Amino acid sequence: MARVPRYVGDQRRGVAAFLRLSGVACEPVDAVVVVVSELLSNAVLYGGMRSVGLSVAYDCLESKVHVAVNDRTPGLRAEPRFPADDQEGGRGLLLVGVLADEWGVSEDGCITWCVIGEGSGAGR
C-alpha cells in the first residue's frame, strides 16, 4: 500500500472482512484490526519508503492470526515508548503488546510482526 494515512482505514476494513470470512471469532478480529491499525500507522508515519507491506494469515489449525507490516526502512526498529499521561500519542506498541500473544521486530528493523490467537488481548 502507498504510505498514505487514509489507506490505513481501508486496510483495516479489508482485514476484518477477510478474517470474518475465514471464520475467525469476533474478539480476535477486533484485536487484529486494532493491531493492524497501529502497526500500519507507525509504518506510514515513520517509514522512509513510498510503500508499506502488510501480510495477514489465519492458521485455522492453531486458531491464530499472524500479522506482519514491512515499512521497508532498514535500521529503524519499532520500540515501545512510555509517553507522559498528558501526551496524546505514543502508546501503539504498548497496545500491541497487550493484544498480541507475542510480537517482535525483524533483525533488520523492517518488519514488525505479531501473533494473535483466540482468547488474546485485554479480555484474557
Side-chain angles (χ1 to χ4, degrees):
M1 109 178 184
R3 247 183 78 219
V4 177
R6 71 175 183 267
Y7 293 167
V8 172
D10 295 339
Q11 295 299 315
R12 198 172 46 234
R13 286 184 289 281
V15 166
F18 162 72
L19 293 175
R20 288 193 176 102
L21 287 172
S22 297
V24 179
C26 289
E27 187 177 317
V29 169
D30 294 342
V32 171
V33 166
V34 170
V35 166
V36 163
S37 184
E38 293 298 333
L39 296 181
L40 280 177
S41 293
N42 282 351
V44 167
L45 288 172
Y46 303 115
M49 302 309 252
R50 294 175 58 132
S51 65
V52 172
L54 170 65
S55 170
V56 177
Y58 176 54
D59 181 339
C60 60
L61 297 176
E62 294 189 12
S63 297
K64 293 186 177 193
V65 179
H66 299 260
V67 176
V69 172
N70 187 340
D71 66 12
R72 297 180 170 90
T73 308
L76 182 65
R77 290 185 58 85
E79 294 184 18
R81 296 185 304 172
F82 300 93
D85 290 343
D86 61 346
Q87 196 171 348
E88 191 171 309
R91 293 170 183 79
L93 290 177
L94 295 173
L95 190 55
V96 171
V98 169
L99 295 174
D101 292 331
E102 57 184 302
W103 75 278
V105 181
S106 64
E107 194 172 304
D108 66 0
C110 289
I111 299 171
T112 304
W113 58 270
C114 69
V115 178
I116 298 175
E118 304 266 340
S120 292
R124 287 187 244 197

